[in-house]
Amino acid sequence: MAPDHFRKHWGFAGLASATLTLLTAAPALAQVLVPANLGGVAPLAIAVGAGGFAILSVVALRSLLTESRAARRRAAEQIAGMRALVDEYENLIAGSSELTVLWGGQGAPRILGQAAAVLPPGRQPQSVLNLRSWLGPAAANKLAELLEALRMHGHGFATSVETLDGRVVRATGWVMGSGAAMRLRPAFAQAGHGEALPDDAETELATVEQATARTILSLLPKPAYLRDAENCLVYANPAYCALARALGKTASETKPAEIVTSDKLTSAWESGDKVTLPVELDGQGKFELLEFAVPGGRAGYLRPVDATRPAGEAVHNHIGGIIGALATPLAIFNAKRQLLQFNEAYAALWNLDPTFLTPGLDERAILDKLRTEGQLPNQVDYHIWRAKHLESYERDFPHESDPWHLPDGRTIKVISAPAGPQGGVIYVFEDLTERLELESTNKAFSNVQRETINALSEAVAVFGTNGRLTLSNPQLSKLWKVPLNELDAHPHFDQLAEASGRAIPEDGASIWRNLKRGIIDLNPTRTDQTGRINRSDGRLIDYAITRLPDGQTMMTFLDVTESASYSKVLKERNEALMAADRLKDAFVENVSYELRSPLTNIIGFADLLANSEGGGDGGSLTPKQREYLDYIRASSVTLGVLIDNILDLASVDAGIAELKPERQDIAALVEKARAGLTASFPEVSGEAPNLVVEIEPGLPEFIADGTRMVQVLYNLLSNAARFSPPGGEIRLSVSHRADRMLFVIEDEGPGLSAELKSAILTRLDTPQQGGRQRGAGLGLSIVRTFVNLHGGTITAEKREPKGSRIIVNLPRDSAMAGVAE
């Protein structure tokens, strides 16, 4: 590393010092060598001289290389500075309110500046070379001729041209070396641009601008003028003065006369800086006044509106606003497939950035972008599909293509139409997704509705406002005997009446004619109708006429012949039951008289026979006779209880049964029930019932109807005795729980069957269940009725291993119980 470092920093100095030392020492070296060997000195001297020359050459070469690098470095710095200066000039030109076109060599021209200063909004700068896209035919031809003279012959020019949107543009062309240049800028500087200037500078600028404006306005063939800051006319071009004189007004360039009334202008000035006003001048035709602000005042001109202008040019400036206001997606392309205009709905439909949709954009580029983003229908060969779509430019008639089914589920309808005689296409798009969904939903709803109507048992007929059948079901055909194919043809009401008349000659047509009055009733306060038709074939038909919200009328028919027959049968049966109920009431009313009188006699004579034993006239009774007498007396008691039960049930059914709650002695109640059981027991067996009574000591006060309670206990004990084996134990337990009194009757009978349990809850007589007596059903019904009257409940359950248990749960104070059911 040390030799490299030395060579880098000391190479030139060391090399020069060594060379000088060698040259200085050469004579002495020669003197030393000559005597020794004169013949060998010459070659050595030549070698040393050649080495020194080489060293000097290397030094000179390295010096030249160093100077060359420095020169290149200085040249690069100068080129970079020039490029920066060129960039600054280009940025300065690009930031100005003008457009510059540069032609040089064989390459494409360069375009600098702001396209919006000259071209309509949204245009690309390259479209400035397509003169007819932003200039009228005459102005485009004029500027094209001037450009040809400039580039072919080097003739410069300075002129003004009018754009399609009514602006005046100043065009200047000049020769630039081997090329040419053209600068385009608005003829009138717009007020309000730039920063505010001092009053004196702004006045000076306004004077310069107005002077320039006068020069430009003087060149215009249309009537033009200039106003000062007070909106007073200060200049008019010759065309304006000629028009004023034609209207009978005195005018000169420096003292022009007002052509348009001041009222119209005043209201137009209030609407904004730029004024567009239609004007009609007597005898001179229609004009369009365009006025705009310039520094120090306003400038304007009058543009004739006549039949020589191309169709639609009068509203060309407004078509963009009209298209933009449409909610329907729309796009217009010229014959070169270049985008001319579109609206926001179009950009929103395809989710495209408006900055991408610049005028002049090729439709193929739009389709390719949509395909890349997955917003076009999936196609096997995209290029064939695109070529077929672009055939719309060759058609001279409107065309609707097949719907586009997009990958995101949307369905788009595309309609193309010629844009005009110059070619081009107008596309109209419609998103059918929501409509198709609604149609599908409506179709499904209609199918469900039809299936529902077809499943109805009623016949349905819906008539439109024109009197024709719009909806029906098969039941209508079946009920009125009209073929289905005739109903499917949507016949008129009169035609349906005729078809029904053929099927039912007696009264088919007349029935429908009567129904027609309800259909064609135009009374706004009319209401729905219902009725019954008694047809000649014996059928009974209920009908209903209903007004629908959409103005249609629905008629429904229901064959009620069978239901009416059932109703008649039920009515007759009900009348028979009512008659039987009245007969029962009459029987109950008379039973006490018809049955109690003979029963009283039987009981009286039986008692008399019993008392006559032991001293009476009849003498003593034999044991067999006494046994028969006991049977007579027991049966009489049982019959008396049955009669009482019947009367009690009748009073409950009549709603006249009432309780007489009083304070009761439970032991006395049980004793009375025991006495009744003992009196009727001979009917069951010759043995006395084995009744065990358990009364809980210290029972609280019990308030109930004593008579009814004795009947309850007697019937329950009697029922237990009937179903208990001879000598079987019957247990009656009385206890209390909180404010409830519990009466529990247990026996050792065969157990509680489902039929016997049901007898406690219903008034059905129970069948024989192995008991020795009948009549349990009536007694248990009395028990249930009186327990309910006291506000209590009765339950029955089976004992294990045999027997049954019946529990009567009563309130301690029955005075608070409810009335009979």
Side-chain angles (χ1 to χ4, degrees):
M1 184 173 180
D4 293 339
H5 181 74
F6 177 82
R7 192 163 45 246
K8 181 177 181 182
H9 294 283
W10 303 100
F12 289 108
L15 188 60
S17 177
T19 303
L20 292 175
T21 303
L22 182 61
L23 292 177
T24 304
L29 181 62
Q31 293 178 2
V32 175
L33 295 175
V34 168
N37 190 3
L38 185 62
V41 172
L44 180 61
I46 294 172
V48 172
F53 178 78
I55 292 172
L56 292 176
S57 299
V58 170
V59 171
L61 180 60
R62 298 192 71 169
S63 177
L64 290 176
L65 290 175
T66 302
E67 292 179 358
S68 176
R69 291 192 188 98
R72 285 200 301 271
R73 186 168 54 251
R74 288 192 298 272
E77 292 175 354
Q78 292 177 357
I79 291 174
M82 294 178 65
R83 286 179 176 174
L85 186 60
V86 170
D87 291 340
E88 291 179 359
Y89 288 155
E90 288 185 354
N91 292 334
L92 181 63
I93 295 174
S96 62
S97 298
E98 61 184 29
L99 200 63
T100 303
V101 185
L102 303 177
W103 287 274
Q106 300 299 325
R110 297 182 60 191
I111 301 175
L112 305 174
Q114 297 183 3
V118 177
L119 301 176
R123 295 290 182 89
Q124 297 290 338
Q126 290 76 9
S127 63
V128 71
L129 300 177
N130 186 6
L131 301 179
R132 293 186 178 273
S133 66
W134 58 281
L135 294 175
N141 293 335
K142 174 183 175 181
L143 187 57
E145 293 174 358
L146 293 174
L147 287 175
E148 184 179 2
L150 172 67
R151 300 184 62 188
M152 300 298 296
H153 306 290
H155 296 163
F157 64 88
T159 185
S160 298
V161 292
E162 182 181 1
T163 64
L164 290 174
D165 55 3
R167 293 184 295 172
V168 178
V169 175
R170 188 70 176 171
T172 305
W174 69 92
V175 178
M176 185 182 64
S178 60
M182 178 181 65
R183 181 176 64 214
L184 301 171
R185 64 181 179 85
F188 305 110
Q190 298 295 320
H193 290 284
E195 298 181 356
L197 300 174
D199 294 340
D200 53 349
E202 186 173 357
T203 303
E204 182 178 356
L205 179 61
T207 303
V208 174
E209 291 291 347
Q210 288 201 358
T212 304
R214 291 190 183 207
T215 303
I216 296 174
L217 293 178
S218 64
L219 299 175
L220 290 178
K222 298 181 179 61
Y225 58 87
L226 193 64
R227 298 182 184 274
D228 59 11
E230 303 298 329
N231 289 328
C232 297
L233 289 174
V234 295
Y235 172 77
N237 68 350
Y240 184 95
C241 295
L243 180 60
R245 286 191 290 271
L247 294 173
K249 298 182 179 181
T250 303
S252 64
E253 292 186 3
T254 57
K255 294 183 179 181
E258 289 282 2
I259 294 179
V260 182
T261 59
S262 59
D263 294 339
K264 291 184 178 181
L265 285 174
T266 301
S267 59
W269 289 334
E270 294 176 354
S271 63
D273 291 338
K274 187 174 182 180
V275 173
T276 303
L277 185 68
V279 177
E280 185 173 0
L281 302 177
D282 296 338
Q284 303 300 319
K286 297 181 180 180
F287 294 84
E288 186 178 25
L289 184 145
L290 287 89
E291 187 174 303
F292 45 89
V294 297
R298 302 176 68 85
Y301 62 95
L302 294 167
R303 182 166 58 185
V305 180
D306 50 33
T308 61
R309 297 176 63 186
E313 185 176 342
V315 297
H316 180 79
N317 295 335
H318 309 290
I319 192 170
I322 296 174
I323 293 176
L326 293 175
T328 302
L330 187 145
I332 302 176
F333 295 84
N334 61 16
K336 297 181 180 180
R337 303 188 183 94
Q338 295 175 339
L339 179 65
L340 295 180
Q341 290 176 328
F342 66 94
N343 58 3
E344 294 182 2
Y346 174 80
L349 176 67
W350 300 112
N351 196 23
L352 293 173
D353 190 348
T355 58
F356 169 76
L357 295 171
T358 56
L361 183 64
D362 196 289
E363 185 187 2
R364 290 170 292 189
I366 298 176
L367 293 175
D368 293 343
K369 180 176 178 62
L370 293 178
R371 182 201 178 197
T372 303
E373 295 179 353
Q375 296 198 68
L376 287 182
N378 295 323
Q379 301 292 331
V380 177
D381 192 327
Y382 165 72
H383 295 285
I384 294 178
W385 177 87
R386 189 183 69 175
K388 184 177 180 181
H389 169 71
L390 295 178
E391 291 177 358
S392 56
Y393 289 90
E394 303 173 2
R395 300 189 186 96
D396 56 357
F397 56 88
H399 173 73
E400 179 178 340
S401 62
D402 295 333
W404 292 3
H405 300 285
L406 307 185
D408 59 3
R410 293 183 297 166
T411 302
I412 307 298
K413 181 174 73 174
V414 184
I415 300 176
S416 60
Q422 297 180 354
V425 177
I426 300 175
Y427 288 109
V428 179
F429 301 89
E430 182 181 358
D431 192 344
L432 302 177
T433 308
E434 185 175 356
R435 193 183 77 181
L436 292 177
E437 290 179 356
L438 291 175
E439 290 179 354
S440 176
T441 303
N442 182 63
K443 184 177 180 181
F445 176 77
S446 298
N447 292 336
V448 172
Q449 182 188 48
R450 178 169 294 278
E451 293 297 329
T452 303
I453 292 177
N454 290 343
L456 293 176
S457 59
E458 296 90 343
V460 178
V462 178
F463 293 92
T465 55
N466 57 356
R468 289 193 170 275
L469 183 68
T470 60
L471 183 65
S472 63
N473 64 349
Q475 295 297 331
L476 184 69
S477 171
K478 179 179 178 181
L479 184 61
W480 292 100
K481 304 177 182 179
V482 179
L484 282 173
N485 57 350
E486 293 189 22
L487 297 179
D488 294 338
H490 305 291
H492 191 271
F493 196 95
D494 295 336
Q495 296 173 331
L496 187 58
E498 294 177 1
S500 181
R502 292 191 297 269
I504 309 174
E506 293 81 2
D507 55 358
S510 61
I511 291 175
W512 280 95
R513 281 194 295 267
N514 294 332
L515 294 174
K516 183 179 180 181
R517 298 190 184 97
I519 297 293
I520 64 175
D521 186 5
L522 301 180
N523 185 3
T525 61
R526 65 183 182 272
T527 58
D528 298 341
Q529 300 180 15
T530 58
R532 173 167 292 184
I533 300 172
N534 191 353
R535 221 162 57 181
S536 59
D537 56 0
R539 311 302 296 180
L540 295 178
I541 300 173
D542 284 349
Y543 72 90
I545 302 176
T546 306
R547 310 293 176 179
L548 301 180
D550 58 356
Q552 298 189 101
T553 303
M554 180 178 68
M555 300 183 66
T556 58
F557 304 91
L558 180 63
D559 190 345
V560 295
T561 305
E562 295 181 0
S563 61
S565 300
Y566 294 151
S567 177
K568 183 178 180 181
V569 171
L570 291 176
K571 184 178 180 181
E572 294 175 351
R573 181 168 295 182
N574 184 59
E575 292 176 351
L577 291 175
M578 293 177 64
D581 190 61
R582 288 193 298 268
L583 181 60
K584 181 199 69 173
D585 294 339
F587 168 76
V588 171
E589 291 177 358
N590 298 323
V591 71
S592 60
Y593 301 101
E594 300 295 334
L595 295 180
R596 281 190 179 277
S597 295
L599 182 60
T600 302
N601 294 332
I602 294 174
I603 294 175
F605 286 117
D607 291 340
L608 181 60
L609 287 175
N611 293 331
S612 64
E613 183 182 4
D617 294 336
S620 60
L621 297 177
T622 64
K624 194 67 174 178
Q625 291 175 339
R626 177 163 294 279
E627 182 181 356
Y628 292 157
L629 182 61
D630 290 338
Y631 275 115
I632 293 172
R633 295 176 66 186
S635 298
S636 300
V637 172
T638 301
L639 182 58
V641 171
L642 291 176
I643 294 173
D644 291 338
N645 289 342
I646 293 173
L647 293 175
D648 289 336
L649 286 176
S651 63
V652 171
D653 290 340
I656 59 175
E658 295 182 358
L659 294 179
K660 296 179 181 180
E662 296 175 348
R663 182 176 180 180
Q664 301 294 332
D665 183 357
I666 295 179
L669 296 177
V670 173
E671 188 60 32
K672 291 180 181 179
R674 182 202 297 269
L677 180 64
T678 302
S680 59
F681 186 73
E683 184 183 356
V684 180
S685 173
E687 300 179 2
N690 185 12
L691 178 61
V692 178
V693 177
E694 294 180 357
I695 300 178
E696 180 182 312
L699 289 175
E701 183 181 55
F702 179 52
I703 300 176
D705 188 325
T707 304
R708 305 305 185 190
M709 284 303 302
V710 171
Q711 287 181 271
V712 169
L713 296 176
Y714 167 76
N715 281 286
L716 290 176
L717 293 174
S718 177
N719 183 76
R722 288 188 178 90
F723 292 95
S724 294
E729 181 182 272
I730 301 174
R731 183 177 297 274
L732 171 61
S733 302
V734 183
S735 61
H736 84 286
R737 186 177 302 167
D739 58 347
R740 309 291 293 186
M741 300 295 294
L742 301 179
F743 295 85
V744 180
I745 295 91
E746 298 175 329
D747 62 57
E748 296 178 351
L752 191 67
S753 65
E755 291 81 2
L756 192 59
K757 186 175 180 180
S758 176
I760 300 175
L761 304 176
T762 62
R763 292 186 180 179
L764 298 177
D765 194 9
T766 56
Q768 189 85 12
Q769 295 294 330
R772 295 167 291 165
Q773 301 290 336
R774 297 191 180 188
L778 184 59
L780 293 180
S781 297
I782 290 296
V783 169
R784 183 188 67 85
T785 300
F786 288 157
V787 169
N788 290 341
L789 284 174
H790 280 82
T793 60
I794 181 171
T795 57
E797 59 187 31
K798 189 174 182 180
R799 293 178 61 195
E800 293 298 339
K802 62 178 182 178
S804 60
R805 179 185 293 111
I806 297 178
I807 303 171
V808 178
N809 190 330
L810 297 173
R812 190 175 56 81
D813 186 357
S814 298
M816 304 300 296
V819 297
E821 298 178 356

